[in-house]
Amino acid sequence: CSSSFSPKPVSTHSQHICSCLLAFLLTLSLPVSAQTARQVLDKTIAHFGDNGVEATFRATTFEGTSPSGETSGTMYMKGGKYKMESTDMTSWFDGRTQWSMIAGSDEVNVTEPTAEEQASMNPAVLLKAYKKGYTMSLRRSTLRDKPTYVVTLRAQSPRDDMFSLVLLDIEQETY
């Protein structure tokens, strides 16, 4: 998987990543009512276009079973637009054009990603991908002293162009 979560640009064709772990703390303003992983994700995704989502994330990339990189930061998503900020990079997408700036460089990369490239970079696309190709499970937990739903997505047939494991922590109180 290659995405804006990486601390440096990575090619999906040359990178062999077996797993990417993402932990999101999604903050939404909705009452708790969903009981299954699909219901929790359906309800979460439904509000991307309405109010938008702010999420903290941590992403770990793996070469085989060994971690090869990690980054964390904050994402802001609304509809098909997003902005991600980490200590390594800032990236934003307006629905057509993506700008990426690596920390410490005085350079901004500007691209118009294809739908295929967006599938591996856009966090909204990632979160919507749960509907096919992943098995889901749900458990309750606590993160930063707040009750959360932990949704685990496992790729049914992992490929280099998809995340093989995604962990989502969604606040129960504000979900």
Side-chain angles (χ1 to χ4, degrees):
C1 77
S2 104
S3 72
S4 299
F5 298 121
S6 301
K8 55 189 171 210
V10 181
S11 166
T12 57
H13 300 293
S14 65
Q15 184 78 8
H16 300 289
I17 298 171
C18 289
S19 298
C20 288
L21 300 177
L22 299 176
F24 293 94
L25 179 61
L26 300 178
T27 55
L28 302 173
S29 302
L30 304 170
V32 174
S33 64
Q35 297 299 315
T36 69
R38 181 171 295 278
Q39 289 171 321
V40 168
L41 290 176
D42 284 347
K43 195 167 189 177
T44 301
I45 297 302
H47 295 282
F48 271 52
D50 296 345
N51 303 320
V53 175
E54 178 179 344
T56 59
F57 69 90
R58 185 184 76 232
T60 304
T61 55
F62 290 82
E63 291 284 341
T65 58
S66 301
S68 61
E70 182 171 295
T71 191
S72 61
T74 304
M75 291 186 284
Y76 308 91
M77 299 169 279
K78 185 171 184 177
K81 301 175 184 180
Y82 67 87
K83 179 180 180 183
M84 286 190 290
E85 299 174 330
S86 73
T87 55
D88 303 317
M89 175 186 280
T90 298
S91 182
W92 56 104
F93 180 70
D94 68 359
R96 180 178 171 193
T97 304
Q98 178 175 327
W99 296 264
S100 298
M101 184 174 67
I102 297 173
S105 75
D106 292 329
E107 182 178 313
V108 174
N109 295 316
V110 181
T111 59
E112 290 187 10
T114 65
E116 182 179 289
E117 291 168 330
Q118 275 300 303
S120 67
M121 294 184 293
N122 187 329
V125 172
L126 165 68
L127 293 179
K128 292 177 184 178
Y130 70 93
K131 292 188 177 187
K132 45 184 173 168
Y134 288 91
T135 57
M136 296 177 258
S137 63
L138 177 72
R139 68 180 171 84
R140 293 174 189 263
S141 185
T142 302
L143 180 65
R144 297 183 191 112
D145 296 323
K146 296 181 180 181
T148 61
Y149 290 115
V150 179
V151 177
T152 302
L153 303 173
R154 291 187 189 278
Q156 293 168 341
S157 300
R159 304 181 318 256
D160 284 345
D161 65 338
M162 70 186 294
F163 293 92
S164 58
L165 176 65
V166 178
L167 302 172
L168 301 166
D169 289 281
I170 302 170
E171 283 185 8
Q172 291 179 28
E173 189 177 293
T174 57
Y175 142 90

